[in-house]
């Protein structure tokens, strides 16, 4: 190894600042960018990295961990005796069964494929169950093993080219369902596997809606991998938007909705970059697309609809670290109109982030309680919610510490 190579922060007992520098460098993030994300100066970041300042308090450590997308807090602190997952939640009890099916390599026709209409009905029922269940991962995890096997069999056993394309469209969406189950679990390789398989199946299907859904999820996987993957997320998003735009004049509501969902994803990534103009520009175009849909329409995969645009506005403001604007958008959004329980919980978490940015920690905790009531599994696997709760367990106010500790126990961060 050359003398100027970045050291591995997990082989030697490095100081906090050294670990922060190594992780920042690996994420391709400059000091000014990290400083902006945590509300400090680039000089402060440099002094921490060089050990000229003491290790920050837990509140700041959690914000640094969030900015660097650190999955386990011990990666940053070096304290292996107290591992704390942030952006990767606990492994679900149904994960081994789902993983076994994804990792399998079926070559023989050992099971007869169900009729295509049967698979489509199961798919509609699965999405409906996901949106209505508070423990949605448990519901999906129960369905996925047999569903993946049956959808794979249908694609292999199709007797004609049109049947094969239709089966591939269903298979692509089953993989999309699997991505919702796998997200933020400690098996990132599985997530990428189904994302790529979903994209291949969608392309084989030649179905615009299936292609749009697969691209929507693939772009999210790239973005969540960190700033160094934002360009890849944009490439997937914009290429698919160009493909779908040509089809919109004669397209269905579902095609319009997935195009609108992708347009918002472009804004989401722009907000992560800190590009305010592009972020709100994409959001506004997505909003206009949403208003072309029927008032009662709700996309079963992405939740794109008129009802979701207020929640999307909160997300843009939060990702831009605009606390006051986040709170203003939260007041304008109507969470009750979001029919999906996990999506409603996700919106509550985004609201809580806005309150935290705006210096309203009591409101943030109260909003996270609402998220837990809507869908406990959503908050249990959400890194932003976990960070806020952990931060508030160190609050000066005894009442806030008590409320935060109670919520931390309920979502599994602290033992009862």
């Amino acid at each position: 190894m050359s003398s100027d190579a970045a050291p591995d922060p997990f082989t030697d007992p490095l100081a906090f600042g050294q670990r922060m520098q190594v992780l920042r460098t690996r994420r391709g993030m400059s000091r000014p960018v990290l400083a902006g994300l945590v509300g400090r100066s680039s000089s402060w970041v440099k002094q921490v990295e060089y050990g000229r300042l003491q290790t920050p308090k837990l509140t700041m450590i959690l914000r640094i961990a969030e900015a660097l997308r650190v999955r386990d807090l011990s990666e940053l602190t070096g304290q292996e005796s107290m591992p704390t997952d942030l952006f990767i939640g606990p492994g679900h009890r149904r994960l081994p069964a789902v993983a076994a099916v994804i990792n399998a390599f079926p070559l023989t026709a050992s099971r007869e494929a169900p009729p295509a209409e049967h698979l489509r009905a199961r798919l509609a029922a699965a999405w409906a169950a996901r949106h209505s269940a508070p423990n949605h991962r448990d519901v999906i995890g129960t369905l996925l093993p047999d569903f993946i096997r049956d959808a794979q069999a249908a694609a292999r056993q199709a007797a004609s080219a049109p049947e094969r394309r239709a089966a591939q469209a269903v298979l692509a969406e089953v993989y999309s369902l699997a991505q919702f189950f796998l997200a933020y679990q400690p098996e990132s390789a599985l997530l990428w596997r189904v994302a790529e398989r979903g994209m291949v199946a969608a392309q084989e299907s030649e179905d615009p809606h299936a292609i749009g859904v697969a691209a929507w999820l693939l772009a999210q996987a790239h973005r969540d991998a960190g700033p160094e993957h934002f360009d890849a997320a944009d490439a997937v998003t914009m290429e698919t938007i160009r493909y779908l735009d040509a089809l919109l004049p004669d397209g269905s509501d579902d095609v319009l909705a997935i195009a609108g969902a992708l347009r918002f994803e472009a804004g989401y990534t722009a907000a992560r970059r800190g590009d305010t103009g592009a972020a709100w520009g994409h959001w506004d175009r997505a909003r206009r697309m949403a208003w072309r849909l029927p008032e009662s329409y709700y996309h079963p995969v992405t939740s794109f609809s008129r009802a979701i645009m207020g929640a999307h506005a909160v997300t843009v403001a939060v990702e831009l670290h605009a606390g006051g604007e986040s709170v203003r958008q939260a007041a304008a959004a109507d969470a009750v109109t979001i029919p999906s329980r996990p999506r409603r919980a996700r919106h509550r978490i985004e609201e809580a982030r806005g309150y935290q940015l705006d210096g309203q920690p009591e409101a943030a905790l109260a909003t996270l309680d609402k998220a837990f009531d809507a869908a406990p599994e959503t908050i249990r696997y959400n890194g932003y919610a976990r960070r806020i709760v952990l931060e508030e367990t160190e609050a000066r106010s005894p009442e806030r510490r008590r409320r935060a500790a109670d919520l931390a126990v309920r979502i599994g961060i602290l033992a009862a």
Side-chain angles (χ1 to χ4, degrees):
M1 179 182 293
S2 65
S3 60
D4 60 348
D8 188 329
F10 313 123
T11 57
D12 297 311
L14 300 182
F16 174 86
Q18 292 173 299
R19 286 174 173 269
M20 186 172 89
Q21 182 178 16
V22 170
L23 291 166
R24 176 182 61 76
T25 303
R26 287 186 177 179
R27 301 300 188 270
M29 187 181 294
S30 67
R31 286 195 183 106
V33 169
L34 177 58
L37 291 173
V38 301
R40 294 299 180 97
S41 67
S42 57
S43 174
W44 180 87
V45 172
K46 183 176 181 179
Q47 290 184 72
V48 171
E49 290 183 346
Y50 280 71
R52 295 169 188 158
L53 291 176
Q54 292 183 341
T55 299
K57 293 183 178 179
L58 178 62
T59 298
M60 181 54 68
I61 290 175
L62 290 167
R63 291 179 182 178
I64 293 169
E66 178 182 321
L68 295 175
R69 303 296 291 182
V70 172
R71 294 179 173 180
D72 187 327
L73 205 57
S74 65
E75 295 178 25
L76 184 59
T77 64
Q79 297 178 11
E80 299 292 342
S81 60
M82 296 182 63
T84 304
D85 290 330
L86 287 177
F87 287 89
I88 293 295
H92 195 276
R93 66 192 181 95
R94 301 195 185 279
L95 180 58
V98 175
V101 176
I102 293 170
N103 289 329
F105 188 52
L107 294 173
T108 60
S110 57
R111 60 195 295 132
E112 183 177 352
E117 60 271 18
H118 176 68
L119 287 174
R120 284 193 290 270
R122 283 167 65 183
L123 198 52
W127 287 120
R130 178 189 179 269
H131 289 305
S132 63
N135 295 317
H136 45 94
R137 275 187 173 81
D138 201 49
V139 171
I140 298 174
T142 302
L143 298 173
L144 276 173
D146 282 339
F147 207 173
I148 292 172
R149 292 188 188 99
D150 286 343
Q152 288 173 336
R156 289 197 307 272
Q157 296 172 28
S160 65
E163 288 179 4
R164 189 172 297 107
R165 287 194 294 269
Q168 291 284 6
V170 172
L171 178 59
E173 200 164 325
V174 172
Y175 283 137
S176 297
L177 191 68
Q179 282 182 256
F180 278 90
F181 173 79
L182 293 168
Y184 310 117
Q185 292 203 58
E187 282 285 1
S188 57
L190 285 177
L191 181 70
W192 280 105
R193 204 165 297 147
V194 295
E196 290 166 356
R197 289 180 187 175
M199 194 74 248
V200 170
Q203 290 171 331
E204 291 290 327
S205 77
E206 301 179 11
D207 182 289
H209 178 255
I211 291 170
V213 170
W216 181 78
L217 284 161
L218 186 59
Q220 290 187 18
H222 280 301
R223 186 179 60 235
D224 286 345
E228 65 271 31
H229 297 278
F230 287 176
D231 287 347
D234 279 337
V236 171
T237 302
M238 299 313 298
E239 178 68 20
T240 311
I241 285 174
R242 286 190 289 270
Y243 162 73
L244 292 174
D245 277 350
L247 305 176
L248 291 184
D250 300 314
S252 65
D253 286 343
D254 283 347
V255 172
L256 174 60
I258 193 58
L262 282 159
R263 179 61 67 178
F264 169 70
E265 289 305 312
Y268 194 159
T269 305
R272 281 271 180 94
R273 292 182 188 276
D275 189 339
T276 302
W280 286 114
H282 286 302
W283 175 87
D284 188 59
R285 292 184 69 174
R287 180 188 60 82
R288 282 183 270 136
M289 295 171 81
W291 253 253
R292 289 164 57 186
L293 293 165
E295 185 175 0
S296 61
Y297 179 89
Y298 194 81
H299 190 261
V301 182
T302 68
S303 295
F304 191 79
S305 57
R306 295 188 189 184
I308 209 67
M309 292 313 300
H312 281 340
V314 175
T315 295
V316 169
V318 166
E319 291 294 342
L320 289 169
H321 298 272
E325 180 65 15
S326 302
V327 172
R328 190 182 75 79
Q329 293 292 348
D334 184 6
V336 177
T337 64
I338 300 175
S340 168
R341 292 185 71 146
R343 189 59 186 84
R344 193 158 65 243
R346 162 78 186 283
H347 172 54
R348 292 301 191 191
I349 292 167
E350 298 292 87
E351 284 186 320
R353 293 176 67 195
Y355 286 125
Q356 191 80 351
L357 282 169
D358 199 47
Q360 300 185 49
E362 294 89 351
L365 284 174
T367 307
L368 288 179
D369 277 327
K370 294 178 182 178
F372 186 88
D373 291 341
E377 282 193 347
T378 296
I379 186 171
R380 192 168 289 132
Y381 285 83
N382 187 281
Y384 298 113
R386 294 160 76 89
R387 191 269 295 168
I388 293 172
V389 171
L390 280 172
E391 188 172 319
E392 290 305 310
T393 61
E394 298 287 317
R396 291 184 178 180
S397 163
E399 174 59 19
R400 272 167 47 203
R401 288 201 306 271
R402 184 198 62 77
R403 291 183 63 185
D406 175 69
L407 188 53
V409 169
R410 283 186 284 155
I411 66 178
I413 297 177
L414 299 177

